[in-house]
Amino acid sequence: MQNPYSEIFHAPGTKGFATAGFIARLPIAMAPIGIVAMLSQTNGEYWLAGALSATYALANAFVAPQISRLVDRLGQTRIVVPTTIISVLAFVVLIAAANRHWPIWTLFASALLAAAMPSIPAMVRARWTEIFRDRPGLNTAFAFESAADELVYIAGASLSVGLSVALFPEAGMLVSTLFLALGSTAFILQRSTEPRVRPTEHGSHGSAIRLRPVQIITFALIFIGATFATTEVSTVAITKELGQPGAASLIIGVYALGSFVLGIVIGALNLRMPLQRQLAIAIAIIALTTLPLLVADTVPLLALAVFVSGVAISPTFITAFGLIERRVPEAMLTEGVTWVTTGIGIGMALGSFAAGAVVDAFGAQSGFFVSVAAGAIALATVLIGQRSLGAPDCDFAGCEAAAVPAE
């Protein structure tokens, strides 16, 4: 039996854009934590570092879908080039402002402009879809991308903090900016795999967020993002309370490892079950596996519980992006994928805030109650939305008929 992952890379150009896309997306994980690491050392004020990182993350969450909508209308090259230039220059100004102790407003202004960074994961998935549309290889490609996302969050955050601590405060942000510039340039230079611009004359002029499947999946993944952000915050708090703070990074790595392994396995299979049911099962597993976290009161138990709770994350993302590919018009694909990834980012930000507040008020172990609540809401969302998610595969007219105003 042939390796399905090697088969998808037989298509011309796939190795090149996948490699470039991986490098270009490292700043997704490196930049937010890099801002915190940089500002906490140069200014010594954690509130400022956190506020600046949150400003950048939330601004990017708002702007990225709009940029991706333009990508769908005008093509990747025409939009990625100017937005990447804006983002790179803004990051350079941010680094200089932190190093030279410029006024605080310059930090926030540059962080807002840096949020113009385009959604590379969405554009990479759009290229895979262009190559493998309506073929089994697309599920494998999406699984590969979910695994790549896991590696980005494992390696990116650790690399950013490690560089800032080992070399100088701005090192993590500097390397992140270089990755963005070089990776995006390499990605865009590969024009042969760039998706062609789809026509919009058949009623697909609105935003993808007006489509009910995009609303359901994005809303559900906000709470999925909150579950694993809460797990990370609570893990740090518990290991500190147990007197073993150094174990936090290992346990968080185990969390991502569980997701990575099962994602690779799922991608190698050609499951026949409808995607909306696969999504419901994956989220049900996430919701149920948050419960053991409430009683994990030692480091070994916590590591085991965290590993188990992470196994369904990649399968959730694989099926979510698969549903977007089938339920969104081709002319809206990049924007649709970006809304989902944006939902994850928003959930992580809100989950971190909520978990931090609960931990401060009720203790380290209590932070996992946020994970339980978030998992339950995500599961209820996809169960209620099964009919909409199971609608016939999308064409322009069909999707437009299913579109409703965002509430």
Side-chain angles (χ1 to χ4, degrees), residues 63-407:
V63 172
Q66 318 312 319
I67 292 174
S68 291
R69 185 178 179 186
L70 292 174
V71 168
D72 285 328
R73 300 294 184 268
L74 303 174
Q76 293 186 354
T77 300
R78 291 179 63 184
I79 300 302
V80 173
V81 171
T83 53
T84 300
I85 290 173
I86 292 171
S87 186
V88 167
L89 291 177
F91 276 130
V92 170
V93 172
L94 178 60
I95 293 168
N99 179 265
R100 307 303 299 174
H101 299 285
W102 290 353
I104 288 178
W105 71 265
T106 61
L107 296 171
F108 283 94
S110 54
L112 287 171
L113 288 173
M117 185 173 71
S119 177
I120 295 296
M123 284 180 281
V124 172
R125 285 177 169 91
R127 294 196 181 206
W128 284 118
T129 302
E130 186 80 359
I131 296 169
F132 291 110
R133 190 183 304 278
D134 299 324
R135 292 162 58 190
L138 186 59
N139 181 67
T140 304
F142 281 176
F144 173 81
E145 289 304 316
S146 294
D149 287 339
E150 294 289 345
L151 289 177
V152 163
Y153 281 105
I154 294 170
S158 299
L159 178 62
S160 187
V161 173
L163 288 170
S164 294
V165 173
L167 300 179
F168 50 90
E170 302 85 1
M173 284 302 302
L174 181 60
V175 171
S176 172
T177 304
L178 288 173
F179 281 151
L180 175 61
L182 297 176
S184 297
T185 300
F187 183 76
I188 288 303
L189 286 176
Q190 299 175 69
R191 300 295 300 276
S192 64
T193 53
E194 180 175 345
R196 64 184 179 86
V197 177
R198 256 56 183 197
T200 59
E201 63 267 24
H202 295 291
S204 277
H205 293 281
S207 172
I209 198 61
R210 296 182 67 244
L211 303 176
R212 182 64 74 191
V214 178
Q215 293 174 353
I216 293 169
I217 295 172
T218 300
F219 187 75
L221 264 62
I222 286 175
F223 291 95
I224 293 300
T227 62
F228 54 84
T230 300
T231 299
E232 292 176 355
V233 171
S234 299
T235 295
V236 171
I238 290 174
T239 53
K240 183 178 180 180
E241 188 176 87
L242 293 173
Q244 301 181 60
S249 59
L250 177 62
I251 292 174
I252 291 171
V254 166
Y255 185 48
L257 178 64
S259 174
F260 175 80
V261 170
L262 191 58
I264 290 292
V265 172
I266 292 294
L269 303 176
N270 185 19
L271 300 178
R272 301 293 184 182
M273 184 184 297
L275 282 176
Q276 71 274 10
R277 294 183 187 173
Q278 292 184 42
L279 181 64
I281 291 171
I283 291 181
I285 293 172
I286 290 177
L288 289 173
T289 54
T290 59
L291 296 175
L293 295 168
L294 297 174
V295 295
D297 55 0
T298 67
V299 168
L301 281 177
L302 182 62
L304 177 61
V306 163
F307 176 83
V308 172
S309 70
V311 295
I313 291 176
S314 275
T316 296
F317 292 168
I318 294 166
T319 52
F321 289 125
L323 279 166
I324 290 293
E325 185 269 330
R326 287 165 175 77
R327 304 295 181 255
V328 173
E330 294 178 5
M332 293 180 170
L333 179 61
T334 308
E335 184 194 355
V337 171
T338 304
W339 275 113
V340 174
T341 56
T342 292
I344 298 168
I346 292 173
M348 291 181 68
L350 295 177
S352 296
F353 174 78
V358 171
V359 167
D360 286 340
F362 303 104
Q365 199 79 42
S366 299
F368 288 122
F369 281 107
V370 179
S371 291
V372 174
I377 294 172
L379 178 58
T381 300
V382 295
L383 290 177
I384 293 171
Q386 284 289 290
R387 182 176 179 182
S388 295
L389 295 176
D393 288 356
C394 214
D395 57 25
F396 288 115
C399 279
E400 184 63 20
V404 295
E407 296 176 0

Side-chain angles (χ1 to χ4, degrees), residues 19-31:
T19 302
F22 181 82
I23 295 171
R25 82 178 79 176
L26 280 167
I28 295 174
M30 293 183 70

